[in-house]
Amino acid sequence: MGKLFYILLAVLGLSACGTGEIPASPTATPPQTVVSEQVTPTPSEEVPMLKITVGDQELLATFEDNPSAQEFQELLAQGPVTVEMSDYGGFEKVGPLGTTLTRSDESITTEPGDVILYQGNQITIYYGTNLWNFTRLAKINDPTDLKAKLGEGTVPVTFSLN
C-alpha cells in the first residue's frame, strides 16, 4: 500500500505542474496583427441656424438644445413665421407666436441676443437683461447694436431657417 500511495502522489504532483497550455510547435505560425483601414465618418448635416429678418437687417442665431427649440425648428421647417413685435419694458421686443410650444422653463438672466419663448406662445428678442423663468430658443450670434437693428415701435419680424 505504501508504494501505491507514492505513485499516486507523484502522478498528482506532475499534473499540478502543467499550465494546461498546449506547447507551440516549432513550425506553428505566430499570431498576426490585423490592421484595419480607418474609415472617415460621413460629415453630418449642417446644424440649422435661425434667421431673423427685421426690415433690411438679417440676424443669425444658434438654436438651443432643448425640446422647445426643436419644436420651433420643426415649425419653421414648414415655412417662415412673421410676428408683429413691440417693445416692452425697455429691454425686449415681444409678440404672439400664433401657436403654443412646449415650455422648457428655467430661471435665467437674459442677455442681449437671447430669443426667448415666454408662456409657451410669445416670442421675445432681448436687447437688454431680465431675470425670470423662461425658455431660451436661440442666441443671436452678433447682438451688436441689437436695439437699433430691431427698430422702434411695432415691427414685423420674420423667423426662418437658414
Side-chain angles (χ1 to χ4, degrees):
M1 168 108 177
K3 193 174 186 183
L4 183 60
F5 174 74
Y6 287 112
I7 293 173
L8 186 58
L9 187 59
V11 170
L12 289 175
L14 288 176
S15 67
C17 293
T19 62
E21 294 181 20
I22 299 172
S25 69
T27 60
T29 308
Q32 295 183 1
T33 304
V34 176
V35 178
S36 63
E37 293 181 30
Q38 279 193 320
V39 178
T40 305
T42 306
S44 60
E45 293 181 26
E46 279 190 34
V47 176
M49 299 287 289
L50 173 62
K51 183 167 84 172
I52 303 167
T53 307
V54 185
D56 61 353
Q57 297 288 325
E58 285 189 357
L59 308 167
L60 290 180
T62 302
F63 283 103
E64 287 293 307
D65 184 15
N66 64 46
S68 305
Q70 191 169 19
E71 279 185 33
F72 190 43
Q73 286 180 54
E74 291 168 5
L75 175 67
L76 297 177
Q78 298 172 24
V81 173
T82 300
V83 178
E84 291 293 319
M85 299 184 77
S86 303
D87 293 295
Y88 179 80
F91 50 80
E92 67 182 340
K93 285 259 192 220
V94 62
L97 186 55
T99 189
T100 300
L101 301 177
T102 300
R103 294 167 64 171
S104 303
D105 288 351
E106 60 183 334
S107 179
I108 60 173
T109 299
T110 62
E111 298 175 353
D114 280 343
V115 179
I116 300 291
L117 176 67
Y118 177 64
Q119 295 184 343
N121 61 2
Q122 302 285 313
I123 193 157
T124 307
I125 301 174
Y126 277 84
Y127 49 82
T129 60
N130 191 14
L131 171 65
W132 199 254
N133 288 328
F134 295 121
T135 299
R136 188 177 282 123
L137 295 174
K139 178 82 171 172
I140 294 172
N141 298 344
D142 180 11
T144 307
D145 300 323
L146 188 56
K147 185 175 181 180
K149 290 176 183 174
L150 293 174
E152 293 191 28
T154 301
V155 294
V157 178
T158 301
F159 297 90
S160 59
L161 294 177
N162 188 38

